[in-house]
Amino acid sequence: MKKFLVCCGIFCWLGVQQTLALAPSDYAKYFKIDLAQPLPSFDELVQKYANEKDFYDRKYDYGWNISEIFDEIFRISIAANGQREKRVPFAQEEMFLQMLQNVPKEIYPYIGPYMHTVPGIPEKILNLPGIKETKNKFPERIAPQLADIPDLEFLSPSLYFILMPEAWPQNLPSRETPNMYPSYPKVVYDAEFYQKLKKMVPVEQFFAGDDKAKKKVTRSDFRSLDATQTSLLTAADVKAFADTLDEVQAFGQKDGNFLNTYNAGIFLDMYEVDNGTGIRNNNQIKDQVNPCQRLVQKIKILGENKANEFLKIVGKKGFTLETWAYTCDKTIKAFRVSKINRETLKELNAFAHGLYYPETQSYGLRTQGFQLSTIQGILEMYKAPMSDVIEVRKNRAILNEKFKKMKYMLISSPIAVHY
């Protein structure tokens, strides 16, 4: 699976901007969200970041409506670049080259043929040992799930990565194999003892739901008066939050709210990077760390009408926008911890003790910044006090049901859960 993720990352890496290399803990400040912070409106962000004048005019709207007259300025530029003796350097050439040198060589047959078909890839990269030999070559190792498909060799090189056996979870060894032990009764059945017990205690008192039994009221049964980012959850808080999810998802499916919040998130990332509160090239990881607080920020950007519409939904359970966001994020983090397995716990422990930090020193600044901010983001995703985890476990069944129904997406924010 690791090889597959690295392979996919190479396809998605073009266009990366420079990120300063800091220690993982230096990125912690970027994951603190201030919901009281004033944000520009959606129209203001569109005007700043999506002004049509900032983009190249293609002279046509759709591919089927291209004019017969070729763009003269574009023709002159192409002719001038073609006559240059020195090639135009590829913006991320060194970073891309370093990334290829750091990935396992077994991946090359699945990405090399495609790279040889992409215009603009520098010869320096295409002639890299291991990549050069893959030109027009079909991979030899094929996943057994696809091996029997006829004419598979005609598959587009851009899809070769799905041929890699490691891309299929079924081909990976199980991370954890439970040790099965036979269980034996600790106490031998004593018929005489139970006969005496029946004479002392009436049979009807053995059944559950006895009217005489009194339930003890605990802190878990009460709602928090004013939830904050640091206050502790109760089981009643978690249940109230879970009861809002159906209507929250319905909100995301009407009036283009999904697309609008998604676009608002893109502009919010750009805005924060420009103002020094965002992680360059990796700010979207904040949506996985605190998906609910980020969602509320996006809704506020969309305007007062959308914010009031959302407030009417969560307000039915006594939430404000802020208290709902805090309760939601704390619930999701505690839910992640409650579902954690040994393998994930081992990785988190390695991240927390900096075991991967020396390895990142061999990367360029761009790659190193991306890796370190991601490490800190993953650690932030699992920050939950034990009290919150215990309260969430009392409602974990209903959360499981709700999250599956939502396909682990809170409108446009992912509810990342690994177990």
Side-chain angles (χ1 to χ4, degrees):
M1 180 58 71
K2 182 179 179 181
K3 295 179 181 178
F4 175 61
L5 294 176
V6 174
C7 178
C8 293
I10 291 176
F11 281 95
C12 301
W13 196 264
L14 295 179
V16 172
Q17 301 179 27
Q18 183 175 5
T19 303
L20 295 179
L22 307 172
S25 58
D26 292 331
Y27 289 96
K29 62 181 180 181
Y30 292 106
F31 295 101
K32 297 178 181 178
I33 297 177
D34 181 9
L35 291 182
Q37 173 193 5
L39 295 170
S41 68
F42 187 78
D43 291 337
E44 291 173 338
L45 291 173
V46 169
Q47 186 176 5
K48 182 174 182 179
Y49 295 109
N51 194 327
E52 293 183 359
K53 294 186 295 185
D54 295 338
F55 295 96
Y56 172 71
D57 186 2
R58 300 180 298 178
K59 304 297 190 296
Y60 64 88
D61 296 324
Y62 302 100
W64 46 263
N65 193 28
I66 298 177
S67 171
E68 296 179 358
I69 302 176
F70 194 73
D71 186 349
E72 184 66 16
I73 297 178
F74 186 63
R75 184 191 66 78
I76 295 173
S77 300
I78 290 296
N81 287 333
Q83 294 171 3
R84 292 167 64 103
E85 294 182 0
K86 184 178 180 181
R87 70 180 176 88
V88 179
F90 182 51
Q92 286 83 34
E93 181 176 307
E94 292 302 321
M95 178 209 63
F96 197 34
L97 183 64
Q98 189 175 54
M99 186 175 182
L100 286 171
Q101 292 172 337
N102 287 328
V103 301
K105 301 300 184 289
E106 294 85 357
I107 291 178
Y108 285 2
Y110 304 95
I111 61 176
Y114 172 65
M115 292 172 59
H116 282 283
T117 66
V118 178
I121 298 292
E123 293 295 326
K124 183 177 181 180
I125 292 178
L126 296 180
N127 289 328
L128 186 71
I131 296 293
K132 180 178 180 181
E133 294 77 9
T134 61
K135 184 176 182 180
N136 298 326
K137 187 177 179 181
F138 191 73
E140 296 178 359
R141 293 190 312 118
I142 306 298
Q145 290 83 353
L146 305 176
D148 297 332
I149 297 179
D151 301 324
L152 191 61
E153 62 272 15
F154 296 107
L155 182 70
S156 169
S158 63
L159 297 175
Y160 279 2
F161 69 93
I162 67 173
L163 301 177
M164 187 164 50
E166 292 80 6
W168 296 78
Q170 302 91 322
N171 301 332
L172 299 176
S174 175
R175 287 188 173 185
E176 296 184 16
T177 302
N179 296 322
M180 306 301 293
Y181 300 101
S183 58
Y184 302 100
K186 296 181 179 180
V187 179
V188 179
Y189 179 76
D190 187 346
E192 184 179 353
F193 168 78
Y194 284 102
Q195 288 297 330
K196 292 180 180 179
L197 188 62
K198 287 180 180 179
K199 293 179 180 179
M200 297 172 59
V201 182
V203 177
E204 59 271 14
Q205 293 187 17
F206 281 98
F207 293 98
D210 183 10
D211 293 335
K212 296 181 180 180
K214 294 182 179 180
K215 180 183 176 184
K216 183 179 179 181
V217 178
T218 65
R219 171 182 170 273
S220 296
D221 301 304
F222 293 94
R223 290 283 304 278
S224 300
L225 290 178
D226 190 13
T228 66
Q229 288 179 319
T230 56
S231 62
L232 297 177
L233 289 174
T234 68
D237 292 334
V238 177
K239 179 63 167 58
F241 156 69
D243 290 340
T244 67
L245 289 177
D246 289 337
E247 289 193 65
V248 167
Q249 285 305 98
F251 169 85
Q253 295 171 2
K254 67 178 184 178
D255 301 332
N257 288 339
F258 173 84
L259 183 60
N260 289 334
T261 55
Y262 179 82
N263 290 334
I266 294 176
F267 293 136
L268 177 60
D269 288 337
M270 299 168 71
Y271 174 80
E272 290 185 338
V273 169
D274 286 349
N275 288 273
T277 58
I279 306 171
R280 189 175 297 276
N281 174 52
N282 200 22
N283 205 53
Q284 64 276 11
I285 195 174
K286 294 166 73 171
D287 283 34
Q288 300 187 45
V289 176
N290 293 302
C292 313
Q293 293 178 66
R294 296 292 283 176
L295 176 61
V296 167
Q297 282 187 308
K298 298 171 192 177
I299 291 175
K300 286 183 176 181
I301 287 174
L302 294 179
E304 187 176 351
N305 289 338
K306 290 296 180 185
N308 288 337
E309 184 180 351
F310 194 83
L311 179 58
K312 289 179 181 178
I313 295 173
V314 300
K316 295 178 182 179
K317 294 297 178 180
F319 290 112
T320 65
L321 291 180
E322 290 76 15
T323 58
W324 179 86
Y326 298 146
T327 302
C328 174
D329 280 336
K330 288 185 291 185
T331 299
I332 291 175
K333 290 179 181 179
F335 180 81
R336 291 171 182 151
V337 175
S338 75
K339 303 281 285 188
I340 202 169
N341 61 22
R342 187 183 307 167
E343 190 70 22
T344 304
L345 185 60
K346 186 165 59 176
E347 291 292 330
L348 290 172
N349 192 41
F351 288 157
H353 288 83
L355 299 186
Y356 289 103
Y357 185 70
E359 181 181 340
T360 63
Q361 301 305 300
S362 61
Y363 300 152
L365 288 180
R366 299 179 184 89
T367 306
Q368 187 180 5
F370 181 87
Q371 295 284 352
L372 296 180
S373 60
T374 300
I375 287 175
Q376 184 61 34
I378 294 174
L379 290 174
E380 297 286 339
M381 288 170 59
Y382 287 88
K383 280 189 175 180
M386 183 55 65
S387 172
D388 285 2
V389 177
I390 293 173
E391 298 301 306
V392 164
R393 284 183 62 90
K394 299 174 183 178
N395 291 280
R396 195 166 62 174
I398 188 173
L399 290 174
N400 264 324
E401 178 186 347
K402 297 285 187 180
F403 290 161
K404 283 184 179 180
K405 183 179 178 181
M406 298 159 56
K407 297 181 180 179
Y408 295 94
M409 287 293 296
L410 189 64
I411 306 182
S412 61
S413 300
I415 305 176
V417 179
H418 307 282
Y419 53 87

